[in-house]
Amino acid sequence: MVGSTFLIVVIFSEICIRMKTMALAPERLTGMNPCISKQTCHECIQTPHCAWCAAPNFNEKRCFLPNINTKIFATCPEEYTWNPDNVFSMVRHRNLTKGGYIATSGNNSGSLSSSLPTSESSSWSTSSFSSAGRQEAIQIWPQEVNLKLRINEAHRMSFSYSQAEDYPVDLYYLMDLSKSMEDDKQKLSDLGQLLVESMSKITSNFRLGFGSFVDKVVMPYVNTMPKSLIEPCDGCAAPYGYKNVMRLSTDTSAFASLVSNASVSGNLDAPEGGFDAIMQAIVCRREIGWREKARRLLVFSTDAGFHYAGDGKLGGIIRPNDGICHLDHTGLYTHSSEQDYPSISQINLKVKQNAINIIWAVTEEQISVYKRLTKHVEGSFAGKLSNDSSNIVELIREQYDKISSSVEMKDTASSAIKVRYLSNCLNDGPPVETSKCDGLKVGTKVEFIAEIEVTSCPDNRTEWKQKFDIYPVGINETLTVNLEMLCDCECEHDGSMYEPNSPECNGVGTLKCGVCECYDGFFGKRCECSPHQEITGFDKNFLSCRPDNTSLVDCSGRGTCACGQCECEERENSEEVSAFHYSI
C-alpha cells in the first residue's frame, strides 16, 4: 500500500513538473531567441544578430535569427530581408614615418617628403641641414576610418603607434617667482645652457620658452596697501598674476638672460596662482608659440600649493574662469582679478584638447600633493625638485624619458559608445585588455585593438552619426572615427515599402516594412481594432494576450494578438497533439 501511494505521488509530481515546464517553455524560448518579441523593424535590428522580413502578407515571424530560424530565412525574399552588417573602411591611412631630416633636391629643399617609405627615408643623409628637408612624422596609423555599427554588436579595429625619431619638442618653463623661489630662479639661469644642451641630445628641433606667476593682486592673496603694490618685499617687483616672458623660440641663448633678469615678487598666503598661469600658457597657443606637430612640455616649478576654483570668492571674485586667452601685448594676464581660478577638471580638459604634458617640478614638501594631482590631469608627471632647483636638468630629462617611453590611448567617444582597448604591447602572446604600453623606443611599433560598441541609440536622431578621436596622450595626432549607428530601417521612411493610409492597414495606419503602424485610437495587425467603450484602452486589449503583466511576449510566442484575443499558429505537423492541456 505504501509503495502504491509512493508511486502515485511520483507520477503526480512528474505530471506537475511537465505541465510547469510546458507552461514556461515559450517564455524560455523567447529568452533564448530575443528576436521573437520585436514588433517593428528598428526594434529588430537593434537586437544583436536579428533580421527582419519586410515582405507583404508574410505569415511567419518577421523578426528572426537567420542561423536558427532557417525556414523563415528561406521563405523571406532576399530583397525584403533587412539584416545590416557592420561596415568598416579606411579614409586616410598614410604609412608610419620616423620623421627627421631627409635629403631634397632642386627648388624643393624646404618641402616635406612624407610619402617616402620609412626604410627609404632612413637611408638619406642628414649631415647637412642646408640641403635637407624635415619629413613629417606620422606616429599613428590609420588616421581616419568610417564605421557603420549595429547596436550592441562590437567591432574590433586594429591600429598602430610608433614613436618618431628626432620629434620636435616645445618646452615652456612656467616658474613661481614669489620671494621664496629667488634662489631657484638664479640656479635655473645658471643651468639654462645645460638644459638646452641636454634637450638638444633628444631632438635637433627644440624650442624653449619662459613664463612666471605670483598670484591675484587682490586681498587676501596680496597686500594691497599702496606701498606694497609697488614693492611688496625688499628688492621685489610689483605683484602680478601671470606673465609670458619669452615665447617658444629656437633662440635658446636668450633663455638664461631673461630668467636672470626676471624679478621676484611677494604675496601673503601660502598657495600661489599657478592654475591661472597654466590655463593661459595652454590656451594662448599663438602667443606662447605652440606648434601643431611637436611634443609639448609645460614644466611647472614651485615650492607651494595652488589655488583652484572657488578660492576666488575669498577676494570677492565670483565670475568662473572662462578658459580663454587674456594676454595683452606685453604678455601680461589681464583678467587675473576679474575671474576665478580654473578648476582641476578645467585644467585637465585643456591639457587633453591641446595635447600637452605637464611636468610638476616641485619641492619635497609639495611632492605628495602634486603626485595625487597627476591622477586628475591627463599625461602629467611629478618630480622632486631640490631646494635650489639645482637638479632641474636631470629632472626634466628623467620625466621626458618617462613620457616618451610610454604610450596611453584615450578617446573622445560619447556615453552611447563604449571603446575597449587591447594590446600585447612588446610581449609575445595574445592581446590583453590595456590602453597603455611602456618601455618603448624610437621606431618601436605597437599594435592596438579598439573594440567599439554602440550601447544605445540616442533619442535625438541627429546623434546617430558621431565623430570621435582615438589619440595617444600628449601627442597631437589622432585616429578619427566617423561612426554611423544603424538604429532603424530604410523601409521605415519614404520609399517603396512605406505607405501612409495604407489599405493594408484599413486606411487608418502607415505600412512600414510590411507591418502596420496604426494611428491613435486603432490597433491590431491591420489596425482593424478599436477600443470598446467598456474597455479602458489599448493596454488592456494588449495585455489580455499575455498571461500576466510581467510577460513581454504576446500569446506565449505561439500566435498573434488580434483585438485582445490570441490567434494561435498552426502546428507544422497537423497530427501532433499535446499530451497535457493547460490554461493560463
Side-chain angles (χ1 to χ4, degrees), residues 423-451:
S423 179
N424 61 3
C425 295
L426 303 179
N427 304 315
D428 295 328
V432 297
E433 186 169 352
T434 182
S435 61
K436 186 176 182 180
C437 292
D438 298 315
L440 307 185
K441 296 180 180 180
V442 171
T444 303
K445 187 167 87 168
V446 181
E447 301 285 349
F448 283 94
I449 295 173
E451 185 179 87

Side-chain angles (χ1 to χ4, degrees), residues 37-47 50 63 487 492:
S37 62
K38 308 307 174 184
Q39 304 297 315
T40 62
C41 188
H42 66 269
E43 289 177 335
C44 183
I45 69 162
Q46 288 183 28
T47 307
C50 292
C63 190
C487 292
E492 290 180 311

Side-chain angles (χ1 to χ4, degrees), residues 242-286:
Y242 159 70
K243 186 172 184 178
N244 175 32
V245 180
M246 172 185 171
R247 77 190 308 268
L248 291 162
S249 171
T250 55
D251 183 15
T252 52
S253 59
F255 178 81
S257 61
L258 286 172
V259 173
S260 178
N261 294 331
S263 300
V264 296
S265 187
N267 62 326
L268 295 178
D269 62 343
E272 315 291 9
F275 272 22
D276 269 346
I278 291 173
M279 177 62 76
Q280 293 302 299
I282 292 175
V283 300
C284 298
R285 296 178 61 162
R286 181 175 58 83

